[in-house]
Amino acid sequence: MSNIKTIEGQLNARGLKIALVAARFNDFVVERLVGGAVDYLTRHGLDSEITLVRVPGAFELPLACQKLAKSGKFDGIVALGAVIRGSTPHFDYVCAEASKGIAQVSLAAELPIGFGLLTTDNLEQAVERAGSKAGNKGADAAAAMLETAQVLKQI
Ligand code: INI
């Protein structure tokens, strides 16, 4: 239709400043998410250094995202972690606080934060989403952040 002005983000990371925040908990899985995000951004033209911040677990992701967002140095952030139900009775609390906190930081700072937090029932499901059968959610989160960063620039 001719009376619609569509605003879309290009998947081009050139010139952007990006930070990743990665939880150390379930490091075996999270490292693959970090790899997926770095690979995606590099293949989409990122030409500056990536800042990688490591935090103990998913619960700490929002605070680090907030600090990075408030620094004003970044065009986008990707939050990466893996919460696996089998290994904790407080699965639900960690998932809820991490996801709510990341969303709150993103809205308050008006900064795109790719949500690369796996929440799975077991390790096998997490591995599937970290670069095997079900793709790489770190790369997916980087893609979502990039598209949103580019679309926000035009609004
Ligand atoms: N943190 C995770 O990132 N993944 C988990 O699966 C997990 N489990 O199972 O407990 C987890 N817990 C730690 C939590 O995120 C905090 O680091 C901890 O409670 C200290 O604040």
Side-chain angles (χ1 to χ4, degrees):
M1 270 199 278
S2 58
N3 62 340
I4 295 178
K5 180 188 174 191
T6 302
I7 300 174
E8 290 179 311
Q10 301 301 310
L11 296 180
N12 180 5
R14 194 163 167 226
L16 298 186
K17 298 275 184 291
I18 306 298
L20 309 181
V21 186
R24 291 186 196 280
F25 209 103
N26 293 321
D27 162 74
F28 166 76
V29 173
V30 180
E31 276 314 289
R32 280 153 181 80
L33 301 178
V34 171
V38 170
D39 180 60
Y40 182 91
L41 293 168
T42 307
R43 285 191 294 109
H44 286 80
L46 192 71
D47 52 1
S48 66
E49 187 177 71
I50 294 172
T51 298
L52 172 61
V53 177
R54 294 195 186 273
V55 295
F59 190 83
E60 285 75 31
L61 289 171
L63 182 58
C65 287
Q66 178 163 288
K67 189 83 179 166
L68 287 162
K70 281 191 174 173
S71 77
K73 293 180 186 164
F74 301 98
D75 299 293
I77 300 170
V78 186
L80 302 163
V83 194
I84 300 174
R85 187 183 289 275
S87 58
T88 178
H90 63 279
F91 172 92
D92 294 316
Y93 297 101
V94 174
C95 292
E97 294 312 312
S99 52
K100 197 169 47 175
I102 290 167
Q104 279 171 359
V105 172
S106 180
L107 289 173
E110 296 191 5
L111 193 75
I113 303 180
F115 185 66
L117 178 65
L118 297 179
T119 55
T120 65
D121 286 334
N122 53 52
L123 181 60
E124 188 186 355
Q125 288 174 353
V127 169
E128 279 176 9
R129 290 159 178 73
S132 57
K133 275 195 252 178
N136 187 310
K137 298 300 172 198
D140 293 350
M145 177 281 298
L146 177 56
E147 181 175 348
T148 310
Q150 293 294 15
V151 88
L152 290 183
K153 279 179 186 282
Q154 302 173 64
I155 296 174

